[in-house]
Amino acid sequence: MRIRRILAAVIATAALAGLGLAGAATATAQGAPSYVTPSQCTQGGGTPDLVANLCKGGTHNGERVD
């Protein structure tokens, strides 16, 4: 019985640690602003709109142009 309790505690701790790391990585990725250069926008198949500072179309559609 004692081994089962210890094993359950280890598994629960590992699972919670894994969720914490995944949540931290997701929060970091979502919080970072995305900027592309006009040439990156064009290479991705889009058109840089320098008035609105956005890439329109292509793989970088809606990302800010810097």
Side-chain angles (χ1 to χ4, degrees), residues 11-47:
I11 291 172
T13 303
L16 290 175
L19 289 176
L21 292 175
T26 303
T28 304
Q30 291 176 350
S34 177
Y35 294 102
V36 294
T37 63
S39 63
Q40 286 174 324
C41 178
T42 304
Q43 289 172 356
T47 305

Side-chain angles (χ1 to χ4, degrees), residues 32-50 52-66:
S34 177
Y35 294 102
V36 294
T37 63
S39 63
Q40 286 174 324
C41 178
T42 304
Q43 289 172 356
T47 305
D49 181 356
L50 299 179
N53 289 335
L54 291 175
C55 182
K56 297 192 176 185
T59 57
H60 299 290
N61 186 39
E63 293 185 39
R64 297 186 53 82
V65 175
D66 186 28

